[in-house]
Amino acid sequence: MALTREQLAQRVSKEFKDGYYINLGIGIPTLAANYVPEDMQVVLQSENGILGMGPFPLDEEVDADIINAGKQTVTLIKGASIFSSSDSFAMIRGGHVDLTILGAFEVDCQGNIASYMIPGKLIKGMGGAMDLVSGADNIIVTMTHASKDGVSKLLKECTLPLTGKGCIKRVLTDLALLDIEDGRFVLRERAPGVSVDEIVKLTAGDLEVPKEVPEMIFET
Amino acid sequence: MSGFNKVINSYEEAMNGLVDGMTIISGGFGLCGIPEHLIKEIKRKGTKELTIASNNCGTDEHGLGLLLSDHQIKKVIASYVGENALFETQMMNGEIEVDLTPQGTLAEKMRAGGAGIPAFYTPTGYGTPVGEGKEVREFNGRKYILEEALQGDFSIAKAWKGDRHGNLIFRRTARNFNPMAITAGKISVVEVEEIVEVGDLDPDQIHLPGIYVDRLIKGTFEKNIEQRTIRSS
């Protein structure tokens, strides 16, 4: 079975380490904040200018001056700090954020990512994604492995305009966890009940399959 | 105006000197921390052919989106222009030119514009459509593109508190692009929630010194929320 959104969030949260400053993109990455283990401290960065972003506010706590990068109302945790957009991207570009998690339309085995623009369709803009992928060393892309019609999104070469070049080393899809090494995908884990053959069939880019590919384990 | 007193009392005076074809740098992220009434004054004036540098271009009903219905904007330099149907229509019809600029690059372009730096190298956008036609240079084995600074004829911004000399304090994430936007305008106009007397602000707590501020006006703010999200318990 392909992973659910919650399972994707749960699996990606296993990449968190105590003391990490983390930037979570909109969508599934944001959900991962719900799965921080209780014995672990992480601080969430929001690129519009927060370190120490907290959960959504209670109705009576809503403050129009406190929003996240997705323009949603949020709260600040104790010890949070606020800064300008130029300071925010200085810390992102400067490599000070420990982990960045974001979505994508396509990734290829050269580590290229396409996530902001489909030619011919509406162009909304890249927001902070280009800065995030060029600044972070430790990036995990969360995405669906293939389209509903079975067309792979893990390619030999991205077909859409790039968000970043040669910057992605780890991809979590609804079917598998893969690393990108030496110009190819390496299959590290598979979703429960998903066969290696199925993943091979839906991966268009070069793929190395180690002898052992463990299934992901989820505590429910 | 006299001496260092930057306070003015009318919006007409606030945007005095703005004419067709000028470039405006605006603070704000979405509808958070936007100079609501300065934008409304630009709409009232009907100034046209404007180039606007701002992270976003408002929504249909609020913020810079208000300048779309009368076709006042010629070009927008922004990182994200979604959530605005009128903008989409004008963009698709080619009535409005859009220069999509990565968010961090846009912030740094404004900062550089106010800081006397004509251009800077950044890794952001290398190998993507943003890097096309731009100078590439390698430093320590990594490729960077040259991005030029942004300066405006005017900058418009929003802060929380300002003293009469224009020393400013921002509040929460309404800070966003505002400090850099203010520094990048030849004439900078700032709308604040509260004007205090000189000496009321602790010098150590001032986010942006008044040297960058030309005109200060007290506004009232609607503070519209784009995505009101709450938890139940």
Side-chain angles (χ1 to χ4, degrees):
Chain A
M1 278 287 284
L3 300 184
T4 61
R5 283 168 62 85
E6 284 70 25
Q7 285 176 316
L8 274 162
Q10 214 176 330
R11 177 61 192 86
V12 87
S13 73
K14 291 192 175 158
E15 306 289 317
F16 294 178
K17 290 197 176 121
D18 195 33
Y20 261 17
Y21 293 101
I22 303 173
N23 182 291
L24 299 175
I26 296 160
I28 288 163
T30 306
L31 280 180
N34 298 333
Y35 297 98
V36 180
E38 275 184 15
D39 57 349
M40 188 187 283
Q41 260 197 318
V42 299
V43 162
L44 301 180
Q45 203 255 17
S46 185
E47 64 264 28
N48 56 320
I50 308 175
L51 270 173
M53 179 171 59
F56 295 138
L58 295 171
D59 197 30
E60 61 271 23
E61 291 175 337
V62 168
D63 182 338
D65 286 343
I66 310 178
I67 61 168
N68 66 14
K71 297 171 187 120
Q72 297 170 309
T73 46
V74 290
T75 54
L76 305 177
I77 62 164
K78 215 182 260 184
S81 61
I82 296 286
F83 33 84
S84 72
S85 300
S86 67
D87 284 335
S88 179
F89 284 95
M91 72 182 72
I92 288 167
R93 248 188 271 102
H96 303 279
V97 176
D98 297 302
L99 176 64
T100 292
I101 300 169
L102 75 177
F105 301 141
E106 294 177 347
V107 165
D108 70 29
C109 49
Q110 304 301 320
N112 299 324
I113 173 171
S115 66
Y116 84 101
M117 174 179 168
I118 299 177
K121 288 201 182 163
L122 186 64
I123 301 160
K124 290 189 171 183
M126 70 290 284
M130 281 194 181
D131 304 277
L132 282 160
V133 298
S134 70
D137 207 31
N138 193 4
I139 306 169
I140 300 168
V141 173
T142 57
M143 60 192 291
T144 50
H145 206 101
S147 72
K148 284 189 183 115
D149 317 323
V151 180
S152 179
K153 297 180 181 180
L154 271 58
L155 306 173
K156 201 168 176 62
E157 205 174 327
C158 287
T159 61
L160 298 170
L162 297 184
T163 307
K165 202 172 161 66
C167 49
I168 306 302
K169 292 177 195 149
R170 183 155 261 212
V171 184
L172 175 68
T173 73
D174 52 344
L175 304 182
L177 177 75
L178 309 98
D179 285 332
I180 299 173
E181 289 171 7
D182 305 321
R184 65 210 194 310
F185 293 107
V186 183
L187 183 56
R188 295 294 181 204
E189 293 175 19
R190 56 202 168 86
V194 173
S195 70
V196 168
D197 283 353
E198 207 172 326
I199 295 164
V200 168
K201 211 172 68 190
L202 290 171
T203 307
D206 297 346
L207 175 67
E208 183 187 315
V209 182
K211 272 194 192 123
E212 291 287 318
V213 182
E215 271 190 9
M216 295 173 198
I217 298 163
F218 293 96
E219 308 100 46
T220 43
Chain B
M1 264 183 280
S2 61
F4 293 102
N5 183 18
K6 312 286 174 74
V7 177
I8 48 168
N9 297 309
S10 76
Y11 284 99
E12 200 175 342
E13 200 183 337
M15 295 315 297
N16 185 31
L18 181 75
V19 296
D20 291 358
M22 279 188 164
T23 295
I24 300 174
I25 315 250
S26 179
F29 180 87
L31 298 178
C32 183
I34 56 169
E36 296 179 13
H37 293 281
L38 297 178
I39 295 167
K40 285 180 182 160
E41 172 62 15
I42 298 168
K43 182 175 177 66
R44 192 199 62 81
K45 271 173 90 86
T47 319
K48 290 206 159 59
E49 297 282 302
L50 295 170
T51 294
I52 307 265
S54 166
N55 190 58
N56 316 91
C57 198
T59 62
D60 285 331
E61 285 94 26
H62 303 293
L64 291 165
L66 294 175
L67 305 182
L68 294 166
S69 52
D70 300 327
H71 294 84
Q72 291 177 263
I73 305 177
K74 179 184 68 176
K75 181 180 174 181
V76 168
I77 304 165
S79 86
Y80 189 82
V81 291
E83 346 306 347
N84 189 325
L86 196 50
F87 189 95
E88 287 165 16
T89 311
Q90 294 191 9
M91 182 166 67
M92 293 308 217
N93 295 344
E95 295 169 59
I96 204 164
E97 189 191 334
V98 183
D99 182 356
L100 284 178
T101 303
Q103 199 174 330
T105 297
L106 183 61
E108 193 63 12
K109 275 170 169 274
M110 292 182 191
R111 198 197 69 80
I117 305 286
F120 55 91
Y121 287 101
T122 176
T124 306
Y126 167 71
T128 77
V130 167
E132 277 168 24
K134 288 175 185 158
E135 186 188 318
V136 175
R137 193 162 153 188
E138 195 173 307
F139 297 92
N140 302 317
R142 217 172 153 205
K143 296 214 169 67
Y144 297 78
I145 59 172
L146 188 67
E147 290 280 8
E148 291 184 15
L150 261 176
Q151 283 179 315
D153 299 295
F154 270 82
S155 58
I156 57 172
K158 192 254 166 183
W160 182 40
K161 282 184 187 179
D163 71 17
R164 291 182 173 275
H165 286 184
N167 293 309
L168 301 177
I169 293 179
F170 302 91
R171 185 174 178 275
R172 306 298 192 236
T173 58
R175 187 180 321 190
N176 58 60
F177 282 81
N178 281 301
M180 297 82 68
I182 292 166
T183 67
K186 285 192 194 108
I187 297 174
S188 66
V189 192
V190 183
E191 194 175 0
V192 292
E193 292 182 40
E194 189 183 345
I195 293 176
V196 299
E197 291 306 319
V198 171
D200 283 357
L201 301 179
D202 179 346
D204 280 329
Q205 304 301 324
I206 288 165
H207 294 145
L208 192 77
I211 191 169
Y212 296 109
V213 176
D214 295 307
R215 300 174 187 174
L216 190 71
I217 188 162
K218 183 183 173 326
T220 49
F221 295 86
E222 290 175 21
K223 295 197 186 182
N224 292 288
I225 294 172
E226 276 180 78
Q227 307 276 340
R228 187 188 173 91
T229 43
I230 53 169
R231 69 179 200 279
S232 47
S233 63

